[in-house]
Amino acid sequence: MLCIGCRTCMIGCVVAHEGKHIFEVDPDGYDFHPKLKVIKTFNVSVPVQCKHCEAPACMAACKSDAIHIVNGTVIIRTEKCIGCKSCAEACPFGAIQMVTLGSARNADGAPRSVANKCDLCQDQPKGPACLRVCPTAALRLVKEEDLGQTLKNKRLATLGLALGAEAQKQAAIGA
Amino acid sequence: MSMGVHEIEDAALLFVFGYNGADSHPIVARRIVRAKQKGAKIICCDPRRIETARIADMHLQLKGGTNLLLVNALANVIIEEGLCDDDFIEKHSTGFEEFKEVIKKYTPEGVAERTEISAGEIRKAARMYAQSGRSMILYGMGVCQFGQAVDVVKGLANLAIMTGNFGRPAVGIGPVRGQNNVQGACDMGALPNVYPGYQSVTVPAIREKFEKAWGVKLSDQPGITLTNVPHHVLHEPDPKKRIHAYYIMGEDPAQSDPDLAEVRESLEKCDFVILQDIYMNKTGQYADVILPATGWCEHDAVYSCCDRGFQKARKLIEPTGDVKRDWEIIGLISKAMGRPMEYTNTVQIWNEVIDLCPGFMGATDEKLEKNACIQWPCRSKEEHDMGTVFLHKDGKFAHPDGKAKFAPSEWRPPQELENEEYPLSFSTVREVGHYSVRTMSGNCRTLRNLEDEPGWIQMNPEDCGELGLRHGELVKVRSKRGYCITRCLPTERVKKGATYMTYQWWIGACNELTIGNLDPISKTPEYKYCACRVEKIEDQAWAEKHVREEYEEIRANMGIQTKGGRAA
Amino acid sequence: MPSEFGLFVSTDIAKCSGCKACEMACFQSHNIKRNNVGKTVGTISVPVTPKLYVTVIETASMPVQCKHCENSPCKAVCQQKAISRVGSQIIVDEAKCIGCKDCLMACPFGAIALLPFYVGGRQAPQADSSGGKVAASKCDLCYEDPEGPACVRVCPNEALRLTDVNEERKKKNIAAAEALAVINAGDPGRRALS
């Protein structure tokens, strides 16, 4: 609901991964491949990005040993990617996009295209760039403890509702 | 705006009419979102499902061109259902009885068909607006860029007056100005009928004050508005009344004015055209002289925010290239024309301005330095006067009797409606990733990575289906006045029969289509409504090549250095 | 607009019955001209050599076929330059193939087999050898057939589909976005995490 569809997150992602030199080189001299994409439908505007599944379908599909879980984050080592698209096909969310690199070629000189997806800014000291640049703070990094706390809060609230309903029932019977 | 931007998040109800905050002003959109987080209700009136409509409690998706029908119908409900603030009307307004007479016929049932909004919804919205206790209207180009614009603004103001939503915190009516510092341009009198501070050129006492301050003789006649320039170049029979020279500063008429074919003709036929700007743009191709100026952060400045707030901006970097500051350029030209201007810094200029404008007099440089933002009116130089957050406190209005005036109008449709030859309606819109005509943001590479020529035309998927168009396909969009080529974007966010384009592209130049029908008072063109048709291009390979080649040609004409076809 | 990345055929594994109609259709469509194969079994005078390989285990079956990789290992290793990109697809020029088997080894999916290569009803000669020619055989997406992949058309269970990753991604993204809307539905705060 906070997302206003401005796509600053997509630019932040590219700047974080490519580095600030992209503003200094020739405009055709860098790759612009955001790892998340803002989707706009009738009902919603929101970025879609990798959910770092516990049992990643992409990792199961990859025959090149390019996808691994590192510190709880699902990472694609694109140097190993043969571009077979199996991971992109496997991801139920479409969070993996095939992209053509301007900065690298295959050994035979042909253009190199690899699988591209959110890596939680693993090698950035400040963490995910997207949530840092979002003007409405619509993005949030969800950690395991957040999930635990959410479950705890929701369950307590559910218990509270049940107690309230029970009390009302008793009052109705009593009256 | 009658209120401050920061007050938006404290309204109990936001009535957003013809205004797209998420695409025009993300920072204002943030306030709207915060308002919702704080529990405000939102009513959004817009023919498209814009971001604000998505989070609104009510989205009145009206048919384009029916603004006043809806506004008057809302007034009708408030009156009929006894929801007026009778006390406020009695104490602080005039003309209510005459107003009621006109509004009587605008029943929700009567306007439902034409507005495409049910009577029930109109009633619900009217009740919400009238009963919230703290309702704020935000409006934008969806109101102003029609042949009937000023009437709608007055209509909206009528709603605020009749419900007492003026003169206290977090209420009122706010045009969220389209351009960065358009408020400032108006505050400084870049309008043909007023001096700085909205002081009329036709009032002798005021004219004498400025003549004395500047040591020159000044005309007592209002000048010509931007949108009337083509007429005065091309069609004015008397050579003494014709425009022979056009000095254009920080504007790109060859891109953003309606009916571009006519604009081009007027620029070509005009004897002398000067362009003063920070980057080359479409208009520059027609200039006889180009005066390159410094951009923001290369100079000190004072901007006016849409909520009347003066804010200082300071120089941060040294400019590169042969450029001068705008005020230096004007000073040099003035000197060459025989009237020297001996300023050495912007504070001197600012001090002169505020001393000549009673409403700005207290907005001293010292206060601006300290306070980040001073909203005029700020009349006293004393420390205690830090400006005016909201207007009409205690129900005081600017008319001589101190009261608000009800001003009803009858609705009239847009000038050019859909017809057999041009069966779709067309409107210009904005998008967040590029700013206005792209003179600046077109030179930002990552913004260009997100969106580049030839742009898109937003169409309902059913219309695309009927024409056999797919997402991304190049199409020709044509109106009576001209055509452009752009890409098809099927989206459920627009209604069947309606199309929309952003006005920033050179190839996808949608102002080739727009009509120069002006509001009689504000002279703003009817960008938001004309008739068009969309044509499928069978040979897509040709179309892609053509778009690329045209783009290169324009860049070559502008002398933009390219390497591999892309500039900085 | 032509696709940016190689299209390929994928299988809905729940629907595949292992009937191999796809293999037959593939063989037939590639040998109509070359070996006069018609619509009846009687017209077959050469070995049946499909370009996709139905693979069966106890609980499932599916054809394994080329994924038209972007950084294709088979193309990278072929020193005869017999494998090239045509449009967005990876195509083997069987005439150039010398049967070295490098591509077969390079393909991680086993999508390439070395099969006898027949022309005009007879096995083509193998250069420098008295044996007949064998050549790398892999899915070419029926790139010369205006009607597209024969396997997709013939599968009785409609288990095969032509996949464009970009088109599929768009549909998945919309579903994912709608799901996020449900998670964050309603109240001004963020419902997902509270």
Side-chain angles (χ1 to χ4, degrees):
Chain A
M1 193 232 38
L2 296 172
C3 178
I4 58 173
C6 70
R7 297 188 289 180
T8 309
C9 52
M10 290 168 67
I11 295 189
C13 176
V14 172
V15 174
H17 285 90
E18 293 285 324
K20 297 232 165 97
H21 81 283
I22 65 173
F23 297 111
E24 288 147 26
V25 300
D26 183 274
D28 286 324
Y30 65 92
D31 285 325
F32 188 83
H33 296 309
K35 294 175 187 300
L36 75 173
K37 187 169 169 151
V38 172
I39 302 297
K40 299 188 186 186
T41 70
F42 187 79
N43 285 321
V44 66
S45 295
V46 70
V48 170
Q49 66 205 104
C50 175
K51 297 176 194 276
H52 299 278
C53 304
E54 303 305 312
C58 59
M59 196 167 88
C62 180
K63 301 232 61 185
S64 305
D65 197 36
I67 306 185
H68 299 275
I69 299 184
V70 179
N71 293 332
T73 308
V74 181
I75 303 289
I76 300 180
R77 299 225 192 282
T78 54
E79 325 80 72
K80 290 189 168 184
C81 177
I82 62 171
C84 72
K85 306 172 284 278
S86 302
C87 59
E89 197 193 352
C91 176
F93 311 105
I96 299 184
Q97 183 170 2
M98 300 307 295
V99 297
T100 304
L101 302 176
S103 51
R105 296 229 143 205
N106 285 323
D108 61 359
R112 184 166 171 72
S113 304
V114 297
N116 188 40
K117 74 163 195 68
C118 169
D119 60 1
L120 282 186
C121 285
Q122 273 268 299
D123 38 11
Q124 310 280 323
K126 289 196 215 163
C130 49
L131 53 100
R132 280 186 279 123
V133 302
C134 174
T136 55
L139 294 165
R140 178 173 158 176
L141 180 64
V142 178
K143 302 199 196 102
E144 197 173 343
E145 50 265 34
D146 298 315
L147 291 176
Q149 187 63 44
T150 287
L151 286 174
K152 192 163 156 204
N153 293 342
K154 286 182 178 176
R155 288 168 190 163
L156 285 171
T158 308
L159 174 57
L161 283 172
L163 282 172
E166 183 62 32
Q168 282 210 319
K169 190 170 94 183
Q170 292 304 330
I173 293 173
Chain B
M1 291 170 75
S2 73
M3 69 295 259
V5 165
H6 56 287
E7 297 190 272
I8 291 174
E9 61 184 69
D10 293 321
L13 179 132
L14 287 173
F15 189 66
V16 182
F17 200 109
Y19 171 56
N20 184 357
D23 279 330
S24 307
H25 312 108
I27 301 303
V28 173
R30 190 169 67 167
R31 298 274 182 192
I32 296 176
V33 162
R34 280 211 198 128
K36 176 136 179 133
Q37 281 180 299
K38 286 177 165 175
K41 295 264 182 273
I42 302 183
I43 301 176
C44 177
C45 302
D46 199 294
R48 290 186 306 158
R49 196 162 171 81
I50 56 175
E51 300 298 335
T52 307
R54 266 194 326 102
I55 62 170
D57 295 88
M58 288 195 80
H59 176 204
L60 302 181
Q61 198 169 3
L62 77 173
K63 171 131 177 68
T66 60
N67 289 347
L68 196 57
L69 285 175
L70 177 57
V71 170
N72 283 351
L74 290 165
N76 178 291
V77 173
I78 295 175
I79 294 170
E80 291 304 311
E81 299 196 6
L83 300 171
C84 298
D85 183 337
D86 296 316
D87 190 56
F88 191 92
I89 295 174
E90 155 102 46
K91 290 209 182 91
H92 302 295
S93 78
T94 58
F96 189 53
E97 294 305 315
E98 298 84 340
F99 171 70
K100 277 201 288 196
E101 271 310 301
V102 174
I103 295 299
K104 233 190 241 177
K105 61 171 113 47
Y106 288 90
T107 62
E109 292 72 20
V111 308
E113 195 182 322
R114 276 170 299 176
T115 57
E116 295 179 9
I117 301 173
S118 74
E121 279 198 302
I122 296 176
R123 286 185 189 284
K124 185 169 168 208
R127 282 172 211 144
M128 279 173 72
Y129 175 79
Q131 295 177 312
S132 86
R134 214 164 58 250
S135 289
M136 184 187 289
I137 298 173
L138 296 174
Y139 73 89
M141 298 307 114
V143 164
C144 302
Q145 287 177 348
F146 271 102
Q148 180 171 48
V150 174
D151 290 348
V152 178
V153 175
K154 288 184 187 163
L156 289 168
N158 294 335
L159 293 177
I161 300 169
M162 65 202 281
T163 53
N165 277 304
F166 267 124
R168 45 196 176 89
V171 297
I173 178 168
V176 200
R177 307 301 300 264
Q179 318 280 14
N180 164 264
N181 209 30
V182 63
Q183 182 70 44
C186 295
D187 291 350
M188 293 301 113
L191 292 162
N193 59 336
V194 290
Y195 297 111
Y198 304 98
Q199 302 173 81
S200 170
V201 303
T202 55
V203 172
I206 294 177
R207 192 179 67 251
E208 276 154 29
K209 175 176 82 168
F210 281 95
E211 282 180 340
K212 192 157 156 229
W214 293 342
V216 291
K217 202 90 186 69
L218 296 168
S219 165
D220 62 354
Q221 293 303 309
I224 297 167
T225 55
L226 162 69
T227 38
N228 276 320
V229 168
H231 171 87
H232 283 85
V233 173
L234 300 170
H235 306 305
E236 172 55 60
D238 182 354
K240 288 221 178 65
K241 292 199 183 135
R242 209 176 291 151
I243 290 179
H244 294 278
Y246 201 1
Y247 184 168
I248 302 169
M249 205 172 123
E251 175 92 2
D252 193 0
Q255 177 68 24
S256 61
D257 280 7
D259 196 347
L260 291 181
E262 190 187 57
V263 174
R264 277 194 293 276
E265 202 193 338
S266 63
L267 288 170
E268 275 162 356
K269 295 222 168 100
C270 188
D271 299 325
F272 190 57
V273 177
I274 308 167
L275 177 78
Q276 184 170 324
D277 214 313
I278 65 175
Y279 281 106
M280 189 56 173
N281 60 26
K282 283 271 270 293
T283 304
Q285 296 174 98
Y286 303 91
D288 297 286
V289 174
I290 294 188
L291 304 169
T294 52
W296 77 278
C297 86
E298 291 176 334
H299 52 228
D300 290 335
V302 176
Y303 285 81
S304 293
C305 177
C306 54
D307 63 0
R308 298 166 277 109
F310 291 129
Q311 298 170 95
K312 272 193 91 155
R314 292 161 194 76
K315 177 175 171 178
L316 295 175
I317 60 174
E318 284 303 320
T320 54
D322 183 12
V323 291
K324 294 197 190 321
R325 290 163 288 191
D326 286 312
W327 58 266
E328 275 183 291
I329 298 175
I330 295 170
L332 287 168
I333 292 186
S334 180
K335 183 167 169 193
M337 289 173 98
R339 196 280 188 196
M341 288 188 186
E342 300 301 339
Y343 303 111
T344 51
N345 60 56
T346 54
V347 178
Q348 289 171 345
I349 303 173
W350 185 248
N351 287 336
E352 182 182 311
V353 168
I354 62 176
D355 280 344
L356 286 167
C357 301
F360 305 159
M361 198 159 297
T364 61
D365 185 66
E366 292 76 29
K367 287 187 196 172
L368 287 177
E369 273 292 331
K370 256 201 305 216
N371 215 56
C373 177
I374 303 271
Q375 287 174 264
W376 59 260
C378 179
R379 299 182 197 278
S380 163
K381 289 204 200 279
E382 307 275 319
E383 278 262 354
H384 69 86
D385 188 352
M386 288 309 246
T388 314
V389 172
F390 59 83
L391 301 175
H392 314 306
K393 189 154 187 257
D394 304 325
K396 292 239 172 346
F397 293 88
H399 293 290
D401 58 1
K403 292 191 178 179
K405 224 194 291 186
F406 278 98
S409 319
E410 304 285 3
W411 172 76
R412 59 175 188 275
Q415 179 170 316
E416 185 181 87
L417 299 176
E418 302 93 300
N419 51 69
E420 210 180 310
E421 204 187 344
Y422 303 106
L424 302 169
S425 71
F426 177 82
S427 170
T428 62
V429 289
R430 289 193 158 99
E431 66 163 287
V432 62
H434 276 293
Y435 171 56
S436 190
V437 295
R438 274 186 328 131
T439 306
M440 290 182 279
S441 63
N443 287 289
C444 286
R445 52 190 65 186
T446 51
L447 293 176
R448 231 187 29 237
N449 288 138
L450 276 183
E451 290 295 348
D452 206 343
E453 294 281 359
W456 305 88
I457 178 165
Q458 300 169 27
M459 297 175 66
N460 183 279
E462 268 186 66
D463 288 324
C464 297
E466 281 169 20
L467 292 164
L469 301 175
R470 298 188 61 218
H471 176 107
E473 197 175 310
L474 286 170
V475 296
K476 215 178 232 183
V477 188
R478 199 188 282 276
S479 83
K480 215 163 155 185
R481 289 154 291 283
Y483 78 92
C484 67
I485 295 184
T486 187
R487 294 195 191 280
C488 176
L489 178 62
T491 164
E492 291 179 337
R493 292 187 174 193
V494 318
K495 278 181 153 183
K496 190 168 185 340
T499 67
Y500 303 85
M501 287 180 69
T502 57
Y503 62 103
Q504 68 225 22
W505 306 113
W506 296 337
I507 312 293
C510 70
N511 276 317
E512 299 287 345
L513 285 64
T514 50
I515 186 170
N517 178 35
L518 310 178
D519 176 280
I521 299 174
S522 69
K523 308 287 188 227
T524 329
E526 193 157 58
Y527 289 110
K528 298 300 182 231
Y529 212 99
C530 72
C532 79
R533 74 162 179 268
V534 177
E535 296 168 4
K536 189 173 170 73
I537 300 179
E538 288 304 337
D539 190 346
Q540 286 291 303
W542 167 85
E544 295 284 351
K545 184 157 164 279
H546 172 82
V547 164
R548 253 194 325 270
E549 284 172 354
E550 270 229 4
Y551 197 14
E552 285 318 309
E553 200 186 309
I554 293 180
R555 286 175 171 275
N557 274 346
M558 291 187 181
I560 297 177
Q561 263 181 330
T562 68
K563 184 186 163 206
R566 300 266 279 261
Chain C
M1 284 191 292
S3 69
E4 191 185 347
F5 301 109
L7 305 179
F8 57 94
V9 176
S10 19
T11 309
D12 181 348
I13 210 168
K15 291 185 179 168
C16 176
S17 59
C19 72
K20 297 196 183 178
C22 52
E23 288 192 4
M24 288 307 300
C26 176
F27 157 71
Q28 193 251 4
S29 82
H30 284 90
N31 286 279
I32 297 174
K33 290 209 184 89
R34 204 189 308 145
N35 289 298
N36 256 318
V37 173
K39 292 198 191 232
T40 60
V41 173
T43 62
I44 300 178
S45 61
V46 300
V48 172
T49 49
K51 293 178 181 308
L52 73 173
Y53 312 104
V54 173
T55 309
V56 181
I57 58 172
E58 209 174 297
T59 47
S61 60
M62 71 172 248
V64 170
Q65 65 203 106
C66 174
K67 311 207 79 167
H68 295 273
C69 299
E70 305 308 312
N71 315 313
S72 144
C74 62
K75 176 157 90 78
V77 302
C78 178
Q79 291 182 302
Q80 295 302 115
K81 303 266 183 278
I83 306 185
S84 61
R85 187 176 294 279
V86 175
S88 310
Q89 310 306 134
I90 303 291
I91 306 294
V92 173
D93 182 351
E94 280 135 333
K96 290 188 179 161
C97 176
I98 59 170
C100 75
K101 299 171 283 296
D102 274 355
C103 58
L104 180 153
M105 308 277 273
C107 175
F109 305 103
I112 305 184
L114 247 64
L115 297 176
F117 187 63
Y118 275 69
V119 181
R122 278 205 293 268
Q123 191 166 13
Q126 189 86 339
D128 295 347
S129 155
S130 56
K133 181 178 171 108
V134 290
S137 181
K138 74 160 196 70
C139 167
D140 63 1
L141 216 72
C142 289
Y143 76 113
E144 287 174 319
D145 184 345
E147 284 190 85
C151 55
V152 174
R153 282 182 275 126
V154 86
C155 174
N157 300 318
E158 293 182 349
L160 303 179
R161 70 180 188 282
L162 183 59
T163 299
D164 178 334
V165 273
N166 279 342
E167 289 304 314
E168 298 226 336
R169 185 176 54 90
K170 283 180 196 163
K171 294 190 196 123
K172 290 176 187 175
N173 281 171
I174 288 175
E178 299 282 355
L180 284 166
V182 169
I183 293 170
N184 289 292
D187 84 66
R190 222 180 273 112
R191 275 272 194 87
L193 298 156
S194 42

